[in-house]
Amino acid sequence: MSRIAEKFAELKQRNEGALIGYLTLGDPTPQASARLATCLAESVDILELGIPFSDPIADGPTIQGAIDRALRAGTNTDDCFEIAARLRRDGVEIPLVFMTYYNIVLQYGEERFVAKCSEVGVDGLLVSDLPVEEASHLVKICRKYGVDTIFLIAPTTTEERINKILKKASGFIYLVSLLGTTGAREKLSEVTIEKTKWALQYVKNLPLAVGFGISKPEHVRAVIEAGASGAVVGSAFVKIIEEKGADACDELRSFAARLKSGTKLG
Amino acid sequence: MRYPTRRGRFGRYGGRYIPEVLMPAVEELDEAYRKFRNDREFKRELDYYLREYVGRPTPLTYCANMSAELGFKVYLKREDLAHTGAHKINNTLGQALLAKRMGKRRIIAETGAGQHGVATATAAAVLGLKCEIYMGTEDMERQKMNVFRMRLLGAEVHPVSSGSRTLKDAINEALRDWLTNVTTTHYLLGSVLGPHPYPMMIRDFQSVIGRETKRQILKHEGRLPSAIIACVGGGSNAMGIFYPFLDDTEVELIGVEAGGEGIETGRHAARFAAGREGVLHGTYTYVLQDEYGQIATTHSISAGLDYPAVGPEHALLREIKRAKYYYATDDEALEAFHYLSEKEGIIPALESAHAVAWLLKNADKFDKGDVVVINLSGRGDKDVEAVAKREGVV
């Protein structure tokens, strides 16, 4: 069983959902971001780590800002692997997922990239602009190295596409719960709950994590109560880093702990 | 063999690299396009607009003065005389008519030089669609008149100040809009780029240029041209004129990229000269980027060529050696801008001036009996102010 699958199984036993926390690697600098990721890891169940790409079309202004800061600080793909390796050296044991865009993986070399993930202890890979039709080669490599391939499904995804996606996915399915880019929203969209229930009809053999527009404990609780196995929070964490920079540790930790309370049912 | 494959591949180039949210939309577009492209009523309506509204066919003008000076025959395919002043309108009318049939009432588009934005706003106005255009703030500064023209045509222009504030960033922002409004909105992409079916569909809409050219040159000369030269940004005017000649292997096809301040300075947009294979904005092609795949900032005197990726079909044509790609620098393009204005009384767009510049520099490659066609993809009125400023005239 992969580390991601184990984590979901363990949480299920405790009647809890997973809190998946995202931050952009290299924001505000590679060194500071390694420390911030370690802090965040204390209060979330899974860490999703973004490798910055210059043209992040699926990201809203908050994460675009983080990516700009990371790239201005000179962050490259090797730095990101180094941060992941350091998290493992520092004793972080929760699952780590890399999230990026396809050109980053392609230019590193697909096999070299996945082998390196496996070597430093990255458990899963999510490529925002790689739809299932173009992913066969990368999925094959990931299987070989035991790295989970996480795919997105969206409110626009058809049943036919969901079935295609389920054949290539492992670890968990990430439901993009509303149309648009990443970013915190004040209120949880009704569509999010509706879409969560819709997706659960099809996604039965993998955990379903719901993301986009989730930024408060009550949002987290609502999607877990609707039956999701996890909630992904990104921009809300990134906003804290945007404000506090390298000193964001305490606030990341305490905010994550508040969000985490929303995952505990009963 | 005709490209692309059903999945949008031109050899190994092309494909679909986009977020899942957009996949159903491009599948729907692909289906609609396949249905309507052979639909008699659709073709009749598009032909009607191209003829009565755009003013097609555009002339193929013989350049007597230039030919006398260079020692072989030179013709210009006059896309500058199409309504709105460039070839872009061929594609925007085609896509806008398609969008209407798909029930999408809102059109979004990116623009670099502003030509595609103006052509989109125009098609939207005449067909009664709502139109919003994304444009980098640096390009808005370079092309103030086109910004005003788009607004006159009833379009909303959204300034984009992220990244390099040029075409690439305008596309990012247009894609983000599409992610949010995909169910009601058609993204009217302006060049042979992006996920399948865009490169194929836009090539098809633009290939009216090549079909007319073939008919016209046969009429004027009784033979096919020795060579066809076109500038290549994304590459839609080039694909449009090349495509009907792909099987006529005696016709040399030459694409000219933006050499900017010179390849060695790093300030250019010559993807074939200095780029590597990669993925940008939904397609696998040649891309200017660093070793880790971060997309490079490009430079060209012409906003329309200032883009880090090239259409995937061009990558294939280059690989199979059916077309050759060179570049012209800012200075060479400027010189050609003046040359054509003075010699033939035609002020070319700075984009098209790159094609003219390549011919002026390589005139010795052609002999007395040769017939060369340049695709004059746009007129230069939009560039007059910027050129005057650069030369210290105003």
Side-chain angles (χ1 to χ4, degrees):
Chain A
M1 218 199 266
S2 75
R3 198 176 337 219
I4 293 172
E6 268 172 31
K7 174 57 82 177
F8 277 103
E10 170 202 322
L11 289 167
K12 195 175 173 187
Q13 263 192 346
R14 296 210 307 256
N15 205 19
E16 275 177 35
L19 175 64
I20 303 172
Y22 168 94
L23 54 77
T24 301
L25 292 174
D27 172 30
T29 65
Q31 233 191 349
S33 126
R35 221 170 45 245
L36 296 177
T38 311
C39 299
L40 190 56
E42 288 171 29
S43 308
V44 300
D45 300 302
I46 296 175
L47 256 188
E48 198 175 275
L49 303 169
I51 303 182
F53 174 55
S54 54
D55 293 80
I57 55 169
D59 287 301
T62 305
I63 293 179
Q64 283 177 51
I67 289 173
D68 282 348
R69 290 191 294 276
L71 290 177
R72 272 203 305 274
T75 311
N76 63 39
T77 312
D78 284 316
D79 297 328
C80 295
F81 281 120
E82 178 46 39
I83 295 171
R86 195 178 135 190
L87 291 176
R88 291 302 185 209
R89 278 200 305 274
D90 290 350
V92 171
E93 285 175 354
I94 62 171
L96 302 179
V97 173
F98 268 174
M99 184 167 186
T100 190
Y101 288 82
Y102 187 51
N103 202 45
I104 294 296
V105 180
L106 192 64
Q107 299 308 324
Y108 204 79
E110 286 178 288
E111 179 139 12
R112 182 173 164 235
F113 186 96
V114 175
K116 191 89 185 177
C117 284
S118 159
E119 181 195 321
V120 302
V122 171
D123 308 291
L125 179 60
L126 196 177
V127 185
S128 302
D129 59 346
L130 192 68
V132 66
E133 287 84 351
E134 306 285 3
S136 299
H137 184 60
L138 187 63
V139 168
K140 211 177 286 170
I141 296 171
C142 285
R143 293 288 168 277
K144 180 175 158 193
Y145 288 90
V147 172
D148 279 328
T149 47
I150 292 135
F151 282 91
L152 302 167
I153 64 176
T156 47
T157 305
T158 55
E159 189 181 335
E160 188 194 344
R161 293 192 56 78
I162 293 186
N163 290 323
K164 249 195 265 185
I165 291 166
L166 287 172
K167 284 192 190 120
K168 305 263 184 201
S170 65
F172 61 93
I173 289 280
Y174 185 144
L175 172 69
V176 174
S177 68
L178 44 82
L179 294 177
T181 53
T182 57
R185 274 86 168 165
E186 188 53 36
K187 265 184 67 183
L188 190 68
S189 160
E190 277 167 29
V191 179
T192 297
I193 297 304
E194 194 184 300
K195 281 293 163 184
T196 301
K197 290 178 178 162
W198 165 81
L200 283 166
Q201 297 169 29
Y202 306 104
V203 183
K204 292 190 159 56
N205 299 322
L206 279 176
L208 180 80
V210 180
F212 282 46
I214 297 178
S215 61
K216 295 184 171 174
E218 59 267 30
H219 299 169
V220 172
R221 179 171 300 277
V223 300
I224 301 297
E225 277 176 356
S229 303
V232 187
V233 176
S235 296
F237 288 124
V238 170
K239 264 218 162 83
I240 294 174
I241 299 174
E242 181 185 307
E243 279 161 25
K244 306 252 154 149
D247 302 323
C249 234
D250 290 342
E251 199 162 330
L252 284 176
R253 209 185 275 128
S254 62
F255 179 58
R258 283 204 303 282
L259 291 170
K260 179 60 201 168
S261 68
T263 68
K264 294 173 185 169
L265 297 179
Chain B
M1 167 90 188
R2 275 288 174 256
Y3 293 98
T5 63
R6 190 71 206 232
R7 284 171 68 174
R9 289 283 169 179
F10 301 89
R12 68 174 176 284
Y13 307 105
R16 270 180 186 154
Y17 297 89
I18 48 171
E20 175 60 29
V21 175
L22 296 179
M23 280 301 287
V26 297
E27 284 177 345
E28 180 194 357
L29 179 63
D30 190 22
E31 215 169 283
Y33 177 63
R34 280 175 197 282
K35 178 173 158 201
F36 286 114
R37 72 168 162 187
N38 295 315
D39 178 81
R40 274 180 54 190
E41 185 51 31
F42 180 78
K43 278 162 70 172
R44 198 194 57 73
E45 198 177 357
L46 180 57
D47 284 348
Y48 168 82
Y49 278 103
L50 290 178
R51 191 177 61 243
E52 303 295 335
Y53 186 72
V54 175
R56 302 205 73 90
T58 58
L60 184 70
T61 304
Y62 176 63
C63 296
N65 303 328
M66 198 172 165
S67 299
E69 191 165 294
L70 297 181
F72 50 86
K73 287 183 170 173
V74 179
Y75 284 86
L76 299 179
K77 178 58 175 165
R78 299 293 304 282
E79 292 302 296
D80 60 319
L81 294 178
H83 179 43
T84 71
H87 71 291
K88 294 290 187 186
I89 190 83
N90 304 325
N91 167 48
T92 60
L93 277 169
Q95 283 196 52
L97 285 169
L98 188 61
K100 238 181 135 166
R101 277 174 166 70
M102 291 170 69
K104 311 253 172 160
R105 310 295 305 183
R106 178 176 178 264
I107 300 282
I108 54 169
E110 80 296 341
T111 196
Q115 291 304 101
H116 175 57
V118 167
T120 303
T122 300
V126 70
L127 296 176
L129 299 164
K130 187 171 166 15
C131 179
E132 294 176 38
I133 306 287
Y134 289 89
M135 188 172 189
T137 49
E138 168 148 347
D139 289 338
M140 287 177 79
E141 186 54 39
R142 285 195 276 194
Q143 300 289 347
K144 282 185 195 140
M145 282 315 283
N146 271 346
V147 175
F148 186 58
R149 284 168 82 197
M150 285 184 267
R151 288 176 173 151
L152 273 178
L153 292 160
E156 205 174 317
V157 181
H158 299 291
V160 177
S161 55
S162 58
S164 58
R165 302 187 297 273
T166 60
L167 181 56
K168 159 178 98 79
D169 312 283
I171 296 180
N172 290 344
E173 225 32 63
L175 282 168
R176 290 180 186 123
D177 178 315
W178 204 27
L179 279 167
T180 311
N181 302 296
V182 62
T183 49
T184 59
T185 298
H186 173 67
Y187 180 15
L188 207 160
L189 191 63
S191 195
V192 288
L193 296 161
H196 178 63
Y198 284 106
M200 167 183 79
M201 177 176 69
I202 294 165
R203 171 201 74 196
D204 291 351
F205 286 139
Q206 290 295 358
S207 61
V208 66
I209 305 172
R211 287 197 304 274
E212 287 175 6
T213 302
K214 198 177 228 181
R215 211 169 57 229
Q216 291 165 322
I217 199 74
L218 286 172
K219 190 170 161 222
H220 289 312
E221 293 290 333
R223 54 163 286 190
L224 294 177
S226 324
I228 297 174
I229 307 169
C231 64
V232 181
S236 70
N237 88 80
M239 267 329 298
I241 198 166
F242 289 176
Y243 189 63
F245 290 93
L246 288 185
D247 292 333
D248 304 308
T249 48
E250 71 271 31
V251 180
E252 209 182 331
L253 305 176
I254 294 163
V256 185
E257 299 184 283
E261 293 172 7
I263 304 303
E264 65 292 345
T265 65
R267 287 178 52 75
H268 61 81
R271 291 70 44 102
F272 286 132
R276 260 190 353 268
E277 290 174 28
V279 167
L280 180 65
H281 294 146
T283 193
Y284 183 91
T285 184
Y286 273 77
V287 180
L288 286 167
Q289 55 187 319
D290 75 7
E291 61 172 310
Y292 288 102
Q294 306 297 349
I295 306 305
T297 301
T298 53
H299 164 83
S300 170
I301 189 171
S302 70
L305 303 183
D306 200 351
Y307 180 71
V310 63
E313 192 163 8
H314 286 294
L316 176 68
L317 293 180
R318 176 175 180 264
E319 185 172 275
I320 63 174
K321 299 190 164 60
R322 180 60 193 97
K324 287 185 177 152
Y325 296 85
Y326 303 95
Y327 61 85
T329 63
D330 287 353
D331 288 343
E332 289 163 352
L334 260 180
E335 207 175 300
F337 179 86
H338 285 289
Y339 178 91
L340 199 68
S341 303
E342 288 165 26
K343 268 292 174 242
E344 299 291 345
I346 296 170
I347 303 174
L350 280 173
E351 289 78 12
S352 323
H354 284 70
V356 178
W358 184 86
L359 183 63
L360 293 179
K361 196 174 170 185
N362 295 279
D364 59 354
K365 288 192 166 60
F366 299 96
D367 295 321
K368 197 165 179 303
D370 283 326
V371 175
V372 176
V373 174
I374 297 173
N375 195 12
L376 202 76
S377 55
R379 67 176 182 225
D381 307 41
K382 68 181 176 62
D383 297 313
V384 167
E385 191 190 334
V387 170
K389 205 180 266 174
R390 184 179 166 114
E391 295 175 350
V393 182
V394 289

